[in-house]
Amino acid sequence: MKKKKEAKINKNGTFDSKWGFIFACVGSAVGLGNIWLFPYRLGQYGGAAFLIPYLLFVFLFGYVGLSAEFAIGRKAQTGTLGAYEVCWKNSKHAKAGKALGWIPLVGSLGIATGYAIIIGWVLRSLFGSATGALFKVSSGDYFSKATGDFGSVIWHIAILGITVLILFTDSVARIEKVSKVLMPAFYLLFAFLAIRVLFLSGSGEGYKFLFIPKWESLLHINTWIMAMGQAFFSLSITGSGMIVYGAYLGKKEDIVNGSMQTSIFDTLAALLSALVIMPAVFSFGIEPTAGPSLMFLVMPDIFRKIAFGRIFACIFFLSVLLAGITSLINMFEAVIESLQYKCKISRNVAALISISISFIVGVFLENELNVGKFMDFITIFVVPFGAVFGAISIYFILGKNKIEEELNCGRKKKLPKAYSIIARYVYVPITILIFILGIIYKGIG
């Protein structure tokens, strides 16, 4: 009698629970885009009307995009590089496919490098809020000191240090434990801030800006393009990061269901951010904006003007810090696991190499203009290419039968026949369109 073949398990272990996996994935997905870009776009491109295309794209990308990355990771039982080897091993162009697989990985390391700098600014702002230093000078002066050449080295090192301490372990268990604490804390803190903002005088204008539908906006192509870009990048579909979390997922878990729950929690985070930021902005008659200026200039000025502003500033920057750290964990984890796989080195050595490369490159990018240009290049060219490459590799090179076989593992009911049609002939062309439009618009996510 033949022995039943044991399921291959990743050397770093697996998530112990479904919710540990989901919180880890949500932690990766919830980032600065949810906080400093979504609230502005929601109001600027039609208010509640913007939610129609946004939610449509979130559903599509979660259903067939996020699911695909989780599934190929679980099928290969390894991260980015190993997953693409599985996809391309039977192709005539296997060598080219495996070589191109490095590009999504470079995208993960690139985003992590820029993120570490920006989250360093967040940590500095949190420290300034706690000590009162942030409120002794103008927000512009405080921010400018951190964003010059080599202006944030200490905070930059601190963020990378916190991240490597979390990742410096022989298993995925610590990522799961940290995510189970940090992500619920993020939601609770932002919900608390949203309740406080509700009672600010004049905050009603912010809610009108956000939620009164401007139906005519649905007739404008830019509304759909920005909703598509926001949804796509918000879910961290990069052809890399979510693959490694899929590699740590057990065969009993329903991937598609987990992907949709991740999408829901990511959208909730974006809406919570909107409920905190825009009503506060309108309450004090400040012009709504997006990007770093919103977080590091506008919000501190608002906290100066409200009772117990220092406390609320601490809560705000702590919340952003939690979101940033959980995103960094995933970006570096993708690189660490692939270095382990490709170079046959220990996890801790891979972690030190990844963090060191990020710091050596990042320390020369600490100037706000430099990190801005660097992040633009990564998010306009490298990451979207990685997403396109991932989608084509999974749904066309590997093929629909093999990926659907993996997706059906853990499901009570098999995926509908329409799934592969949507994935191959709707989702994949849209990823290509996002790549092209990102270049034309100089960024849509």
Side-chain angles (χ1 to χ4, degrees):
M1 185 176 178
K2 289 184 178 181
K3 288 184 179 181
K4 188 177 180 181
K5 188 177 179 181
E6 291 183 8
K8 185 181 175 184
I9 297 175
N10 187 280
K11 57 189 169 297
N12 291 330
T14 60
F15 288 106
D16 287 334
S17 68
K18 169 187 171 183
W19 284 106
F21 165 71
I22 289 173
F23 278 131
C25 295
V26 171
S28 172
V30 175
L32 298 179
N34 298 75
I35 297 167
W36 75 23
L37 189 54
F38 176 81
Y40 175 77
R41 280 191 171 164
L42 174 58
Q44 192 71 13
Y45 290 97
F50 178 81
L51 289 175
I52 294 175
Y54 179 77
L55 293 175
L56 176 66
F57 285 120
V58 164
F59 175 81
L60 171 66
F61 298 148
Y63 187 54
V64 294
L66 208 54
S67 295
E69 295 199 0
F70 291 149
I72 190 57
R74 188 171 71 175
K75 181 177 179 62
Q77 280 301 301
T78 186
T80 309
L81 298 181
Y84 289 125
E85 287 183 6
V86 170
C87 289
W88 288 83
K89 67 179 179 180
N90 295 322
S91 168
K92 295 179 182 179
H93 308 289
K95 287 185 178 179
K98 292 174 185 178
L100 288 171
W102 282 89
I103 295 178
L105 195 67
V106 170
S108 287
L109 185 58
I111 297 176
T113 298
Y115 244 59
I117 297 168
I118 298 168
I119 302 304
W121 300 345
V122 174
L123 182 61
R124 184 175 184 271
S125 296
L126 174 59
F127 180 80
S129 301
T131 61
L134 178 60
F135 300 97
K136 293 177 181 177
V137 295
S138 71
S139 298
D141 287 342
Y142 190 85
F143 182 55
S144 65
K145 289 179 181 177
T147 57
D149 293 327
F150 307 105
S152 191
V153 176
I154 294 173
W155 308 102
H156 188 178
I157 291 173
I159 290 298
L160 291 175
I162 293 168
T163 306
V164 78
L165 284 175
I166 295 169
L167 294 172
F168 218 68
T169 176
D170 291 330
S171 74
V172 73
R174 187 174 296 175
I175 295 174
E176 182 172 1
K177 289 176 183 176
V178 168
S179 298
K180 280 183 173 179
V181 173
L182 296 190
M183 287 319 300
F186 167 84
Y187 286 106
L188 287 172
L189 290 172
F190 252 71
F192 176 75
L193 287 172
I195 293 170
R196 174 64 185 91
V197 167
L198 176 66
F199 295 99
L200 291 176
S201 176
S203 62
E205 292 302 312
Y207 297 114
K208 290 178 183 178
F209 176 76
L210 288 172
F211 296 118
I212 288 183
K214 307 174 188 71
W215 299 115
E216 65 276 10
S217 296
L218 294 177
L219 302 176
H220 301 156
I221 188 65
N222 281 357
T223 299
W224 291 83
I225 290 172
M226 294 304 165
M228 180 172 65
Q230 185 70 33
F232 190 79
F233 286 95
S234 182
L235 291 177
S236 290
I237 301 173
T238 64
S240 180
M242 293 304 195
I243 291 176
V244 73
Y245 279 176
Y248 301 152
L249 189 61
K251 291 287 187 179
K252 293 180 180 180
E253 300 298 338
D254 184 338
I255 281 179
V256 177
N257 180 263
S259 299
M260 297 312 297
Q261 288 178 311
T262 299
S263 303
I264 290 168
F265 279 102
D266 179 70
T267 301
L268 177 61
L271 289 170
L272 268 177
S273 300
L275 290 172
V276 169
I277 291 170
M278 285 306 164
V281 166
F282 275 86
S283 176
F284 291 96
I286 300 171
E287 188 68 24
T289 185
S293 62
L294 174 65
M295 200 156 67
F296 297 108
L297 301 179
V298 173
M299 293 307 292
D301 282 344
I302 290 172
F303 293 129
R304 293 170 193 272
K305 300 173 183 177
I306 63 176
F308 306 106
R310 278 177 59 178
I311 294 174
F312 291 112
C314 287
I315 294 171
F316 175 78
F317 286 114
L318 178 60
S319 303
V320 177
L321 181 68
L322 299 181
I325 289 290
T326 50
S327 294
L328 275 180
I329 289 170
N330 174 257
M331 297 167 200
F332 278 118
E333 182 63 22
V335 181
I336 290 166
E337 197 280 343
S338 282
L339 287 179
Q340 284 181 269
Y341 172 83
K342 199 69 178 177
C343 303
K344 309 303 179 187
I345 56 179
S346 73
R347 178 178 176 81
N348 289 344
V349 170
L352 287 175
I353 291 172
S354 304
I355 296 289
S356 297
I357 292 172
S358 177
F359 178 72
I360 290 168
V361 174
V363 75
F364 296 101
L365 299 173
E366 289 184 356
N367 183 291
E368 185 184 3
L369 292 176
N370 291 340
V371 72
K373 290 177 182 177
F374 176 78
M375 290 295 277
D376 283 345
F377 174 76
I378 295 294
T379 57
I380 293 172
F381 296 99
V382 182
V383 169
F385 176 85
V388 170
F389 178 72
I392 292 173
S393 297
I394 294 167
Y395 283 119
F396 284 97
I397 304 302
L398 178 67
K400 71 181 185 70
N401 292 336
K402 290 182 179 179
I403 198 62
E404 282 196 21
E405 180 183 2
E406 187 62 42
L407 285 165
N408 281 320
C409 283
R411 286 182 62 83
K412 294 178 180 178
K413 187 177 180 181
K414 287 189 176 183
L415 290 168
K417 291 181 179 179
Y419 182 92
S420 63
I421 297 172
I422 295 170
R424 288 157 63 91
Y425 303 112
V426 178
Y427 171 69
V428 174
I430 285 179
T431 63
I432 297 170
L433 181 63
I434 288 171
F435 182 38
I436 295 169
L437 289 174
I439 296 171
I440 293 171
Y441 279 75
K442 297 181 179 180
I444 60 172

